[in-house]
Amino acid sequence: MQVDKKVVAITGGARGLGFAIAQRLGKQGAQVALLDMSAEALDSAVSSLSAEGIAAQAFVVNVADEQSVQRAFADIAERMGPVSGCVNNAGITDDGLLIKAKEGVVEKRMTLSSWQRVLDVNLTGVFLCGREAATQMVEAGHEGVIVNISSISRAGNMGQSNYAAAKAGVHALTVTWGKELARYGVRTGTVAPGFIETEMTASMRPDMLEKIAASVPLKQLGEPDHIAQSVAFIFENDYFTARIIECDGGLRL
Ligand SMILES: NC(=O)c1ccc[n+]([C@@H]2O[C@H](COP(=O)([O-])OP(=O)(O)OC[C@H]3O[C@@H](n4cnc5c(N)ncnc54)[C@H](O)[C@@H]3O)[C@@H](O)[C@H]2O)c1
């Protein structure tokens, strides 16, 4: 699909990977709908994109909330037209071990609220936004592409029961939707980033980040535009659906 003049919704678009994806698709002519939590962050993202000549509009949303998502997608359709693309990128981490024991006594456990919060945003959010996007694509009678952002952690990662489970689920949605929606001309794809330099990774301990960078075969963290390039490939390649692109510098957890 050529994204020129097409409406593409990008969740978590105010910063990090979502912003880089908006920049790349926007430069290819897409009209980007940025969906994020904070009106302030969205305004500054829209201003930066507009300064680069990109058509962008802001939509405040909590992807984990059904009504909020339905409202945001209805607003997009009203202000910009029905979406042809949707990049489900919004995500959070809330790391912790399942249990932590000392001398046979369990001192700490992952709380249900930590589990639920991450599942709500990272998996239910993808379901809710994907459902609205698919509905608009099919009812508009035009082709569409849904890209879900997973993670290298989907294979299972220490301290990330919640995040790893959600990110594995995200790719299962891509495969399921690829099969279900092909008949309507809607394709899907997952991008699974490794460690990329964004605010999310900036919150990790610097010594941890150095260790990670040293363990990557390409010996560095990725840049947000590396992920945006993978997303753009899925949009462009009309024989790609239900599959995953791993963009991680060759790292395996
Ligand atoms: N940065 C990495 O190394 C990396 C690696 C693998 C996967 N990922 C995934 O890529 C995606 C983007 O990561 P990032 O590094 O840009 O993160 P980030 O924290 O820099 O940006 C995430 C954006 O999502 C928004 N967001 C969070 N919860 C939301 C909600 N409930 N509703 C709407 N918006 C919400 C935030 O406000 C923020 O603008 C995430 O899904 C993340 O899990 C990132």
Side-chain angles (χ1 to χ4, degrees), residues 67-184:
Q67 280 187 1
S68 171
V69 169
Q70 285 178 341
R71 209 177 311 120
F73 275 82
D75 286 351
I76 296 172
E78 200 180 305
R79 281 161 54 188
M80 304 176 77
V83 299
S84 295
C86 177
V87 184
N88 286 310
N89 161 81
I92 57 169
T93 54
D94 190 0
D95 293 355
L97 295 167
L98 178 68
I99 57 159
K100 194 169 184 188
K102 210 171 166 189
E103 289 160 13
V105 179
V106 173
E107 294 179 333
K108 217 173 162 197
R109 309 198 304 166
M110 178 176 278
T111 62
L112 177 59
S113 65
S114 163
W115 165 267
Q116 200 61 57
R117 206 166 76 83
V118 172
L119 266 289
D120 284 350
V121 176
N122 294 14
L123 186 57
T124 305
V126 173
F127 161 70
L128 291 173
C129 295
R131 191 180 59 170
E132 291 312 308
T135 301
Q136 287 192 7
M137 291 163 185
V138 171
E139 289 189 346
H142 60 215
E143 61 176 346
V145 176
I146 299 174
V147 179
N148 298 326
I149 306 298
S150 177
S151 166
I152 191 171
S153 296
R154 79 195 181 287
N157 192 27
M158 286 272 291
Q160 292 196 311
S161 296
N162 47 10
Y163 187 79
K167 291 300 190 181
V170 160
H171 183 53
L173 291 179
T174 298
V175 177
T176 303
W177 296 348
K179 291 176 178 176
E180 287 184 5
L181 301 176
R183 76 194 68 170
Y184 305 113

Side-chain angles (χ1 to χ4, degrees), residues 158-234:
M158 286 272 291
Q160 292 196 311
S161 296
N162 47 10
Y163 187 79
K167 291 300 190 181
V170 160
H171 183 53
L173 291 179
T174 298
V175 177
T176 303
W177 296 348
K179 291 176 178 176
E180 287 184 5
L181 301 176
R183 76 194 68 170
Y184 305 113
V186 175
R187 296 185 295 104
T188 65
T190 296
V191 177
F195 289 87
I196 313 296
E197 280 179 14
T198 66
E199 284 88 339
M200 184 180 262
T201 41
S203 68
M204 293 167 73
R205 280 198 347 242
D207 58 313
M208 285 268 291
L209 279 178
E210 263 175 47
K211 252 173 102 175
I212 290 167
S215 67
V216 177
L218 289 178
K219 296 292 172 212
Q220 56 189 8
L221 300 189
E223 292 164 16
D225 189 56
H226 290 133
I227 302 309
Q229 283 178 50
S230 304
V231 172
F233 173 82
I234 294 171

